[in-house]
Amino acid sequence: LYVDQGIIRMGRSAKVIVAVALAAAVGFLAYLQIKDWHKKNIEEVVVREKVTYQKEKEKLEQKIAELQRELSVAEGKSASQEKLADAFGTEGVKIHYRSSREDQKIEDIEKQMAAFFAYIDGKKYLEAKNLKGGAYRQFQTVVEILTENPPIITGETDNIFRVLKNLAHFYSTLGKDRVNLTRDILKNEEEILENAMRVFYLWSIMDRTDLKKFKNRPSDEMLYLYSSYFLHTIGGRGYILRRDSKIRTLSYHYCVLLLDRANTEKLNSSGIDIRPHIDMSLNNIKNQMGLAYRQAYLAELDNLKRKYKM
């Protein structure tokens, strides 16, 4: 009996051992399967990550190449010292960018303006359009016409005819020849336009009693009116959007500066909020390639942000 019981116990132990061995074997095989499956998953993830990385790398390389091309174009459009001297005189090349009119001498600004008008006359743009009297006389005529025929600032969207009138404002008031003359100068003299816009802006904010030669400048009311037109109306924004990005960016910037002056002089009769335009100009300047005075523009806008507590 004892022998039989011992055999039974040994049989049970053997079964337990066999069961444990089988469980271990099954577990080991399962581990191998899971390990193999996990390894394959990791490899698949690695492969996908490599593909994604390669695509992102190619996109970045393409973007870098595009930026390098844009930079090359921008640098190619930067005016040489000889070109600036030709357009603004030798004194114009020496004068550094300044944001304050108190730092400017009206004599220097007027010399640069005289040189610029002479430069435009020498290019024969007016003769091609059969316009008489020289560049400065044509500029005076344009100021007179635009002053007498202002665009619509408030109530533009009251009806479709007002919108259409604003959209065609310059063409209807100045005529085809003068509009095409302006377009030719913008297209062919892109290298010097940043400097030209600065010279004309400084001239426009000078104290009138200091003006010697070029006295017939636009009134402060007209400057406010047209800066409001470009910033605030469908027609004005349409004109700006059709321009080259650099001219568009600079035009918008100077309109903001003129609107700020209008606020200071209590001329903002339309009550245009300058703050969103400051932000827009700041964004435009930051994203525009090839600006010679980028840091100075940004400094001007930072000053305005502080002034208007933005």
Side-chain angles (χ1 to χ4, degrees):
L1 181 60
Y2 290 122
V3 173
D4 291 339
Q5 291 176 347
I7 291 173
I8 291 171
R9 284 196 294 271
M10 290 178 62
R12 289 176 179 172
S13 298
K15 289 179 180 179
V16 172
I17 292 171
V18 169
V20 171
L22 287 172
V26 170
F28 181 70
L29 290 173
Y31 166 75
L32 291 178
Q33 289 292 330
I34 292 172
K35 181 181 178 182
D36 185 56
W37 173 81
H38 186 61
K39 181 179 179 182
K40 288 180 179 178
N41 272 356
I42 291 176
E43 289 175 348
E44 289 176 1
V45 170
V46 170
V47 170
R48 286 199 298 269
E49 290 295 329
K50 284 183 177 179
V51 171
T52 302
Y53 168 77
Q54 186 62 32
K55 288 181 179 179
E56 291 299 323
K57 179 183 176 184
E58 290 173 357
K59 287 181 181 179
L60 287 172
E61 289 175 344
Q62 183 179 1
K63 185 64 176 178
I64 290 170
E66 290 174 357
L67 289 173
Q68 287 175 333
R69 285 194 295 272
E70 290 178 5
L71 182 60
S72 297
V73 171
E75 289 175 343
K77 292 178 180 178
S78 297
S80 65
Q81 294 295 297
E82 291 77 14
K83 182 81 171 181
L84 291 175
D86 192 22
F88 302 103
T90 54
E91 291 300 317
V93 179
K94 297 176 184 178
I95 296 175
H96 297 291
Y97 180 101
R98 302 183 182 98
S99 60
S100 173
R101 66 177 179 176
E102 286 77 14
D103 294 332
Q104 305 291 335
K105 291 181 178 180
I106 187 61
E107 294 83 0
D108 294 331
I109 299 301
E110 289 192 320
K111 284 179 182 177
Q112 292 179 71
M113 291 187 63
F116 177 75
F117 285 125
Y119 172 82
I120 295 299
D121 285 336
K123 292 289 187 175
K124 308 298 182 183
Y125 288 118
L126 279 73
E127 286 86 339
K129 299 293 185 293
N130 198 31
L131 295 171
K132 308 296 183 181
Y136 178 55
R137 179 56 200 150
Q138 283 299 322
F139 174 76
Q140 288 180 305
T141 301
V142 166
V143 170
E144 292 168 3
I145 293 174
L146 293 180
T147 300
E148 294 171 1
N149 300 274
I152 300 167
I153 305 301
T154 56
E156 178 195 32
T157 56
D158 287 353
N159 60 67
I160 188 63
F161 298 105
R162 286 185 165 219
V163 174
L164 294 175
K165 184 178 180 180
N166 257 9
L167 285 169
H169 175 68
F170 289 114
Y171 192 88
S172 62
T173 56
L174 297 178
K176 180 180 69 175
D177 289 338
R178 290 192 177 91
V179 169
N180 287 338
L181 169 65
T182 304
R183 185 179 299 150
D184 288 347
I185 293 173
L186 290 176
K187 178 181 177 182
N188 298 323
E189 303 299 337
E190 185 176 354
E191 294 176 65
I192 63 171
L193 287 179
E194 182 175 2
N195 293 71
M197 292 175 78
R198 190 63 188 179
V199 169
F200 275 80
Y201 168 71
L202 292 173
W203 172 63
S204 72
I205 64 174
M206 289 287 178
D207 191 322
R208 292 181 181 276
T209 59
D210 293 335
L211 299 176
K212 303 293 189 297
K213 184 175 182 180
F214 299 99
K215 296 183 178 183
N216 297 324
R217 72 178 189 188
S219 67
D220 292 337
E221 290 79 8
M222 181 191 175
L223 292 173
Y224 162 70
L225 188 67
Y226 278 91
S227 62
S228 301
Y229 171 67
F230 287 124
L231 294 175
H232 192 62
T233 71
I234 295 172
R237 288 197 298 268
Y239 271 106
I240 283 188
L241 289 173
R242 291 195 294 272
R243 302 283 72 80
D244 167 85
S245 65
K246 186 174 181 180
I247 298 303
R248 180 169 66 247
T249 296
L250 291 171
S251 298
Y252 202 97
H253 178 68
Y254 284 118
C255 285
V256 170
L257 296 185
L258 290 172
L259 180 56
D260 169 59
R261 283 179 53 77
N263 284 336
T264 301
E265 300 297 327
K266 310 298 183 185
L267 296 174
N268 188 2
S269 57
S270 299
I272 298 172
D273 186 356
I274 194 174
R275 291 170 295 180
H277 298 298
I278 293 172
D279 282 335
M280 176 66 75
S281 184
L282 193 61
N283 184 64
N284 291 343
I285 296 294
K286 288 179 178 178
N287 290 290
Q288 177 60 49
M289 301 288 291
L291 293 175
Y293 308 118
R294 179 194 304 275
Q295 294 307 314
Y297 301 140
L298 294 176
E300 286 177 330
L301 293 168
D302 284 339
N303 288 335
L304 291 184
K305 286 177 74 72
R306 286 191 292 273
K307 178 178 179 178
Y308 292 96
K309 297 179 173 57
M310 296 173 60

